[in-house]
Amino acid sequence: KEKPSLILAAGDMIQGNTWANLFQGKPAIEVMNAIGFHAMVVGNHEFDFGQEVLKERIREAKFPVLGANVLGLPAFIKPYVIKEINGLKVAIIGIVTEDTPTSTHPDNVSGLNFLPVSDTVDKYVKEVRDKVDIVIVLTHIGYNADMMLANNVKGIDVIVGGHSHTKTDKHLLVGNTIIVQSWEHGLALGVLDLKIRDGKIVEADGRLEEIKPASMSKKDDVALIVEKYSAQMNALMKQAIGEALIDLDGKNVRIKETNLGNFFADMMRNESGAEAAIINGGGLRTSIKKGTITMHDVYSVLPFNNYIVSIKLSGKQIRETLEYGVSAVELKEGRFPQVSGISFTYAPTGKSGSRVDSIRVNNEPLEPDKIYVVATNDFLAAGGDGYQTFREAIKASGDFSTTGGVMKASAIVYNNAGKWLRDIAVQYVTTRQKINPAVEGRIREVSCDATFCK
């Protein structure tokens, strides 16, 4: 209702929740069209469903999709757009992180190049500066990178940023450049009010307005979109995707090896090509009964937005990780490990930190100095459930970053943030049809003896 206005999106709009993933971002574009967005920049996650899907989403959009430093999609992604508002000419330049190729599956960006941010922005600011009154750079590079960009490139009036999902309650001024970012997951609308005199910004007021659906009236055209996809999603959730030949035990995943834990650990090792997998029992939330398996069953077991990360760990670090995993089994905490490609014994009554013994990887004794590739989920890789060994291994191998929810370091061998575990699991079950995992003695309880548990 505040006119004249520009409504801008700073990327990662088509991926990130169940609706987006099931329909590959189509509902998000329909809602954005209904709202009346004027422009968006591609985020790294816009590439997660592959280039053909991205092209289709761009064709559906009633607004330009920008990315000045993306080479390879010239008919779809534009470097900038110029809008005229109440006689003012406003240039909007889009820019995405140079790290995009390492934050989605390599196949998704095959044939594309991502040029350096500052050099690209400088080029286009110089191209448009004399043609317009206001220059906005719509970025998907992160808040700290926005500040660096403002320092490095002159002539930018406003940076509207994304990628780091920073909660900026008020705008930041770096030199003469105003920087704003509107947090995450549609929790708030970022508002920047500008007062213009003689084609120049003379006053700015940036703030976040929290979005509270329960206290807001429905917008009829948006409600129709929601209802349409709700019906489709409900139908999909009831869809049979396979058959469990036995009950899959999710009740005991916090205290012992279970067939459900083995199934999902095996899936992650298979998908990533790792030598082994270690996951937290607490990430598996319920059982699957014998009989028909539906998508709803899989989504109930894996309700969290997690993806697979494979990390280089030494044998010593694997031992530390397993020791930590069984260190509070008596408390039934979520850290208890479910494993694949690994077997070990442990003494529940032993001293915490000295419970594990007889570790084998792929049937060979664990070698303390040997480097293994271990699959886990991004939650544990970032230190979740207290698994600091994963996080420390990543940090020790280079600059550790979780910018935009994506981890980068030389210790990371596999990292596909574009595929949630539950979606991989649906595909895994659909391909195999008959599911019959067993408890195989990967984790065996033993008693302390004269040499063990001291």
Side-chain angles (χ1 to χ4, degrees):
K1 294 178 182 178
E2 297 181 38
K3 305 292 183 181
S5 64
L6 284 171
I7 308 175
L8 306 175
D12 284 359
M13 300 299 289
I14 71 168
Q15 203 263 32
N17 64 24
T18 301
W19 280 37
N21 290 9
L22 280 175
F23 303 104
Q24 298 185 313
K26 189 176 176 67
I29 296 297
E30 290 189 24
V31 169
M32 291 174 73
N33 285 339
I35 290 171
F37 276 78
H38 293 96
M40 85 173 252
V41 64
V42 286
N44 53 294
H45 288 302
E46 257 69 60
F47 296 89
D48 283 346
F49 303 116
Q51 292 176 44
E52 291 308 310
V53 171
L54 176 56
K55 289 175 185 177
E56 187 63 27
R57 296 293 85 86
I58 293 173
R59 278 191 287 261
E60 293 162 355
K62 296 178 180 178
F63 47 85
V65 176
L66 310 177
N69 62 329
V70 182
L71 294 187
L73 291 169
F76 295 90
I77 298 176
K78 306 179 189 309
Y80 65 88
V81 64
I82 295 176
K83 299 284 184 180
E84 188 163 341
I85 307 172
N86 278 24
L88 282 175
K89 288 187 176 180
V90 181
I92 306 164
I93 302 167
I95 202 85
V96 64
T97 174
E98 299 165 45
D99 294 327
T100 298
T102 62
S103 58
T104 188
H105 196 282
D107 290 347
N108 297 336
V109 291
S110 177
L112 303 181
N113 288 315
F114 294 81
L115 302 178
V117 167
S118 291
D119 292 346
T120 306
V121 173
D122 186 53
K123 170 189 170 181
Y124 285 107
V125 168
K126 288 174 178 174
E127 183 173 319
V128 303
R129 185 70 269 185
D130 293 337
K131 303 175 185 177
V132 300
D133 300 290
I134 306 295
V135 174
I136 297 173
V137 182
L138 187 57
T139 75
H140 193 85
I141 59 177
Y143 197 55
N144 290 338
D146 285 338
M147 289 186 274
M148 292 176 61
L149 180 62
N151 271 318
N152 293 340
V153 179
K154 304 306 176 188
I156 303 172
D157 295 303
V158 178
I159 293 176
V160 177
H163 192 45
S164 58
H165 310 294
T166 305
K167 186 178 182 182
T168 58
D169 293 306
K170 187 169 176 55
H171 69 275
L172 175 72
L173 195 62
V174 175
N176 294 318
T177 301
I178 299 159
I179 301 175
V180 291
Q181 190 167 148
S182 59
W183 204 13
E184 62 185 8
H185 303 307
L187 295 173
L189 176 69
V191 179
L192 177 63
D193 290 327
L194 299 176
K195 185 177 287 186
I196 313 292
R197 182 181 297 128
D198 299 326
K200 303 293 182 184
I201 299 172
V202 294
E203 191 175 317
D205 178 30
R207 64 189 185 280
L208 295 183
E209 292 189 2
E210 191 175 346
I211 295 172
K212 300 178 179 179
S215 62
M216 300 166 71
S217 59
K218 289 184 179 179
K219 196 169 184 280
D220 290 342
D221 51 353
V222 174
L224 286 173
I225 297 169
V226 172
E227 289 163 10
K228 176 178 70 173
Y229 285 104
S230 287
Q232 292 182 41
M233 188 166 73
N234 290 338
L236 279 171
M237 288 294 106
K238 296 174 184 176
Q239 181 178 316
I241 58 172
E243 181 185 2
L245 301 182
I246 54 172
D247 289 334
L248 274 61
D249 178 13
K251 181 180 179 181
N252 294 300
V253 290
R254 294 168 180 250
I255 57 173
K256 64 181 181 180
E257 175 192 350
T258 75
N259 59 353
L260 183 80
N262 288 352
F263 175 74
F264 285 106
D266 287 348
M267 176 196 78
M268 292 171 66
R269 181 165 68 109
N270 179 280
E271 177 74 13
S272 64
E275 296 168 85
I278 301 174
I279 60 175
N280 55 323
L284 307 173
R285 306 302 288 186
T286 189
S287 300
I288 296 178
K289 291 186 177 297
K290 178 181 178 181
T292 299
I293 302 174
T294 65
M295 284 185 65
H296 180 266
D297 292 325
V298 174
Y299 275 56
S300 296
V301 175
L302 298 169
F304 305 116
N305 292 341
N306 292 131
Y307 57 89
I308 299 173
V309 180
S310 291
I311 303 167
K312 293 178 183 177
L313 293 182
S314 68
K316 179 176 180 290
Q317 289 171 318
I318 289 175
R319 176 179 289 277
E320 290 171 359
T321 300
L322 295 174
E323 283 283 10
Y324 175 76
V326 300
S327 63
V329 61
E330 62 273 18
L331 301 177
K332 298 183 179 181
E333 293 192 354
R335 72 178 77 166
F336 188 86
Q338 298 290 326
V339 299
S340 176
I342 292 175
S343 64
F344 66 96
T345 62
Y346 85 102
T349 58
K351 182 181 177 182
S352 181
S354 303
R355 294 180 173 184
V356 173
D357 197 22
S358 304
I359 304 170
R360 300 179 76 86
V361 177
N362 294 320
N363 294 319
E364 297 292 332
L366 184 76
E367 299 179 36
D369 297 324
K370 183 177 177 178
I371 299 300
Y372 301 86
V373 178
V374 180
T376 188
N377 60 54
D378 62 301
F379 174 66
L380 296 196
D385 259 350
Y387 274 90
Q388 291 302 313
T389 302
F390 285 124
R391 182 180 176 89
E392 288 164 3
I394 295 170
K395 287 180 72 174
S397 70
D399 293 332
F400 176 67
S401 170
T402 55
T403 300
V406 176
M407 287 169 283
K408 304 183 292 293
S410 60
I412 295 177
V413 177
Y414 178 94
N415 177 24
N416 190 358
K419 293 182 76 173
W420 295 139
L421 283 176
R422 53 177 172 260
D423 297 321
I424 294 170
V426 167
Q427 185 179 12
Y428 202 72
V429 172
T430 302
T431 301
R432 283 155 182 78
Q433 283 297 296
K434 305 287 186 181
I435 307 303
N436 191 26
V439 173
E440 301 172 345
R442 301 178 187 184
I443 305 172
R444 292 185 294 114
E445 293 184 19
V446 295
S447 300
C448 294
D449 59 26
T451 60
F452 179 43
C453 295
K454 280 194 170 183

